[in-house]
Every structure is written in C-alpha cells, then in structure tokens.
Amino acid sequence: LDRFGSIDILVNNAGINPAFGPLIEQGHARFAKIFDVNLWAPLLWTSLATKAWMAEHGGAVVNTSSIGGMHQSPAMGLYNATKAALIHVTKQLALELSPRVRVNAICPGVVRTRLAEALWKDNEEVVSASTALGRIGEPADVAAAVAFLVSDQASWITGETLVIDGGKL
C-alpha cells in the first residue's frame, strides 16, 4: 500500500511438493510444510490483502491450484490434496468476500516451470502427446488466463476454477 497505493489484484502462486510418494508414507513434517505453503499461505495472503484494502475497495484474487486437485495420481497424493482443498477454499472465499472481492482459481496442467520440471524434462514428447493440443504449457499460457480473470471482462465470474491444461483432462 505504501509503494503502490492499492491492492487491487492478488495472485496466490505458491506451490511446493516435498512429499512425493504414497500418502501413508508421509510424515507430519512434510504434511505440515506442504499444507502451510499450498493452502495456508494463499489463505493468509488473501486475508491480509482483504483487510488492508480489498474489503473496502474491491479486488480480484486468483489462486493457483492444479489439475492434480481434480484427480488422483501415483505419488502425488499429498500435493493433490492441498490443491483440491485450495479449490474448495477458493469457492468458500468467493462466497465470504463477495460482492466486493472476486476469488477464482486456475488449475494448470504440466507447464514448463521449475516446479514441474521433474514431470516433463526427461520425457517431454510423451507428456506433450498426452494432451489434446500436443504440447507442454508455457508460463505465458497461464499468465493470459490469470490476466483475464483479474480483468473487468471477468467481472461476473467468482468462485470458479479454470482448467488450463492443453486438453489433458
């Protein structure tokens, strides 16, 4: 607020996955860390932005979930659980913060980022072939969707989850 004068847009784009493997093999420390970053942090940042500005002046929040939050997959259970919970938190916040604040989520598929690198780096052709559009997503693909959701063109959209996965699901 001191630097820019307002907080009109908040994009919660945090995500980690220190808990690769079966759910029943995860310890509490990994559980706590992944839930703190993937679920608590977006809730905390939304709370701070809302109390500081958005509750009075309005705004738009976009939470970065994942297509993993919409289905199960081997060795990704804890990560997927946090992203599924974030989808629900998005819907709940949309209800609680309306009509001043719009809250939506995006669910990217495999995107060429450092976090997802382990999913595509050594088998890019196979991963690309598993999507209808035949390629891995680029950060710009996701950024364009976020730009739309925070724009005035999306002024009647809240509580929604936009899948951006090249047709994977």
Side-chain angles (χ1 to χ4, degrees):
L1 280 172
D2 290 342
R3 185 169 181 186
F4 297 107
S6 66
I7 305 172
D8 304 300
I9 296 167
L10 173 64
V11 180
N12 288 307
N13 192 38
I16 62 167
N17 187 20
F20 191 78
L23 276 174
I24 62 172
E25 301 296 325
Q26 304 308 316
H28 186 262
R30 285 186 189 157
F31 181 93
K33 183 174 183 176
I34 196 168
F35 269 85
D36 277 351
V37 173
N38 293 3
L39 191 60
W40 174 244
L43 182 56
L44 176 62
W45 280 107
T46 302
S47 173
L48 293 170
T50 299
K51 290 174 183 175
W53 181 265
M54 290 182 177
E56 186 176 340
H57 304 282
V61 176
V62 176
N63 292 321
T64 302
S65 184
S66 168
I67 61 169
M70 303 178 125
H71 67 90
Q72 72 282 4
S73 59
M76 299 283 288
L78 201 49
Y79 175 83
N80 290 352
T82 65
K83 294 304 186 171
L86 187 56
I87 292 168
H88 182 78
V89 164
T90 297
K91 292 180 178 303
Q92 187 66 34
L93 286 172
L95 174 66
E96 292 178 9
L97 301 179
S98 65
R100 291 274 200 191
V101 181
R102 294 182 296 108
V103 185
N104 292 291
I106 57 168
C107 286
V110 177
V111 177
R112 199 178 307 278
T113 63
R114 196 174 80 187
L115 177 69
E117 191 172 42
L119 300 174
W120 60 264
K121 186 175 182 182
D122 294 331
N123 58 349
E124 188 169 344
E125 287 183 22
V126 172
V127 174
S128 294
S130 73
T131 69
L133 295 180
R135 68 178 178 86
I136 292 171
E138 298 294 337
D141 297 322
V142 178
V146 171
F148 166 70
L149 286 173
V150 301
S151 74
D152 289 341
Q153 287 78 26
S155 66
W156 208 46
I157 300 173
T158 195
E160 293 302 323
T161 300
L162 179 61
V163 175
I164 312 162
D165 71 348
K168 172 78 174 173
L169 292 184

